[in-house]
């Protein structure tokens, strides 16, 4: 069994690509707007998610994450 280790710097683009592919599948099934730029939206998600997590840690409160998630997903159907 081989063990692979990735730095966070290397892992984030992979996660972003996986998220973009998931958005693309959601477009293909009509679940989200066909006008959405999936790659850009995936990047926006990860930048916003990381910011929300940092703010939540700073405030010791989950509210920033709740606000980000609620707003992000409500905009996908445009």
């Amino acid at each position: 069994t081989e063990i692979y280790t990735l730095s966070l710097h290397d892992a984030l683009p992979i996660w972003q690509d996986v998220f973009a592919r998931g958005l693309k599948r959601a477009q293909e099934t009509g679940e989200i707007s066909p006008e959405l730029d999936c790659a850009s939206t995936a990047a926006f998600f990860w930048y916003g998610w990381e910011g929300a997590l940092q703010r939540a840690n700073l405030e010791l409160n989950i509210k920033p994450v709740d606000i980000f998630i609620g707003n992000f997903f409500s905009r996908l159907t445009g």
Side-chain angles (χ1 to χ4, degrees):
T1 303
E2 291 184 50
I3 297 175
Y4 295 96
T5 59
L6 289 175
S7 70
L8 188 56
H9 181 268
D10 293 333
L12 285 173
I14 295 168
W15 296 344
Q16 186 172 310
D17 182 60
V18 169
F19 195 76
R21 285 186 278 144
L23 291 172
K24 185 68 175 163
R25 280 189 291 251
Q27 274 183 326
E28 292 167 355
T29 61
E31 296 175 71
I32 63 174
S33 172
E35 304 300 316
L36 193 70
D37 178 334
C38 294
S40 177
T41 302
F44 175 76
F45 172 82
W46 285 109
Y47 291 134
W49 175 252
E50 291 299 321
L53 288 179
Q54 287 183 11
R55 184 77 181 260
N57 283 327
L58 178 67
E59 296 179 4
L60 301 176
N61 188 316
I62 197 68
K63 186 177 179 180
V65 172
D66 290 339
I67 291 171
F68 171 73
I69 291 296
N71 278 279
F72 179 83
F73 286 103
S74 72
R75 296 169 195 267
L76 291 181
T77 56

